[in-house]
Structure formats: structure tokens, C-alpha cells
Amino acid sequence: MEHLLGLLRIHVLRGINLAVRDVCSSDPYVVVRMGKQKLKTRVVKKNVNPEWNEDLTLSISDPNLPIKISVYDKDTFSLDDKMGDAEFDIKPFVEAIKMRLGSLPTGTIVTRVNAGRENCLAEESCIVWAEGKIVQQMILRLRNVEHGEVELQLEWIDIPGSRGV
């Protein structure tokens, strides 16, 4: 517990224009990894634009570790097919939390993370003060696949007794 900074809630919103891996569709799910932690969403049947709307929560002890996401197509009689992967860095998000911002108006942009070669962002990602907390919305472009994106939202959860940021 003394090594823990806090929890990162990753709201996996949806997939956008994911690759077809079955006859005419896919049965996608998302796997989120950070260090030794591994979490996954439910499978959405026959949909290349799935809406998961699921919360996955990681314990954060080292904010320098990248978070990796992989999308797979669930298959019954064979290994699940890869549908792309992406990774993102939470350092800018953690830096915004360290600012210990007070009561800003909801919707205030704290900082922006530009899309570029060094990240998988499909577009600029804003870190925003919303309803008393810091959140980051992002759309990740999947690599190692023909096309596809995944939309996420990050939210920090402080843990009493943890080291904190």
C-alpha cells in the first residue's frame, strides 16, 4: 500500500470502425495491461463499432509505465484474433493531478496532449476539470491492423493511506 499512488479508472467507451475478423463482422473485446496487471472488457457480439461503456481500474505505483491496450476478436473454436493494439502514457495526466487544482469551472482545460508519432492518439486529447475531478478523454488509433480506434476516458481515484501523487 505504501508504494501505491492511487487508482486509475479507465472507462472503455467504444470501438470505432474496428477491423472485420469473422465472415462479415467481429466479436471484439479490449485487454488493458500495465506492468503485471491485466484487465478485460466483455465481448460485444457481431459489431465493428462496439459500445462497451465499462470501467476497468488499475493500481498505479509507477506512472512511468505505459498502459497497453489490445483489441481481440473472440473465437469459439480457435485462438482469438488480434484486432490491433495501442499504448498511452499517463505522465501528463498524473502531472495535472499533482497541480491540486481547486474549484475550477467544469469544462476548464488543464492541459492538452497533442497527437504525434510518439503516441497512439488519433487526435488531441484534453485533460479537463469536470465536476470536481480531473478527467482525460482520448481516442487511440490502433496499430498493427488495417484500421480502428478505441475511445477511453481516464479518471484518478485517491486511496486513503496511499502514498498519493
Side-chain angles (χ1 to χ4, degrees):
M1 188 74 142
E2 66 275 357
H3 298 294
L4 198 60
L5 297 176
L7 301 176
L8 181 69
R9 179 176 293 143
I10 301 171
H11 187 68
V12 182
L13 292 151
R14 63 191 180 122
I16 304 160
N17 194 25
L18 299 177
V20 172
R21 287 291 179 262
D22 293 336
V23 177
C24 59
S25 191
S26 292
D27 305 316
Y29 65 95
V30 175
V31 175
V32 176
R33 288 185 177 89
M34 183 185 201
K36 293 183 170 131
Q37 300 175 79
K38 178 182 170 184
L39 304 165
K40 66 182 179 180
T41 66
R42 74 188 190 292
V43 174
V44 175
K45 297 273 186 199
K46 296 182 174 30
N47 198 330
V48 292
N49 293 294
E51 297 209 7
W52 290 286
N53 281 318
E54 275 186 55
D55 288 334
L56 303 177
T57 305
L58 293 170
S59 305
I60 306 298
S61 50
D62 182 0
N64 296 311
L65 287 176
I67 295 178
K68 300 175 182 192
I69 69 159
S70 301
V71 181
Y72 294 93
D73 170 48
K74 183 72 175 161
D75 286 328
T76 306
F77 301 109
S78 61
L79 290 173
D80 293 352
D81 300 314
K82 279 196 117 179
M83 295 175 66
D85 60 83
E87 65 179 56
F88 62 95
D89 185 7
I90 62 166
K91 284 185 284 207
F93 184 70
V94 170
E95 288 304 313
I97 291 158
K98 285 181 182 176
M99 291 179 192
R100 300 265 185 247
L101 300 167
S103 53
L104 292 172
T106 286
T108 302
I109 295 172
V110 177
T111 189
R112 300 170 195 269
V113 182
N114 293 318
R117 291 183 190 274
E118 72 286 346
N119 61 40
C120 293
L121 293 173
E123 58 190 39
E124 178 183 78
S125 173
C126 293
I127 299 172
V128 177
W129 181 263
E131 298 173 23
K133 57 190 174 215
I134 297 276
V135 295
Q136 182 177 4
Q137 197 91 13
M138 64 175 68
I139 296 177
L140 298 171
R141 182 167 291 126
L142 297 174
R143 305 176 292 199
N144 305 312
V145 68
E146 311 87 279
H147 50 77
E149 297 173 345
V150 173
E151 185 175 356
L152 309 172
Q153 183 181 27
L154 308 183
E155 179 187 331
W156 188 259
I157 302 168
D158 279 317
I159 304 175
S162 72
R163 192 173 71 174
V165 287

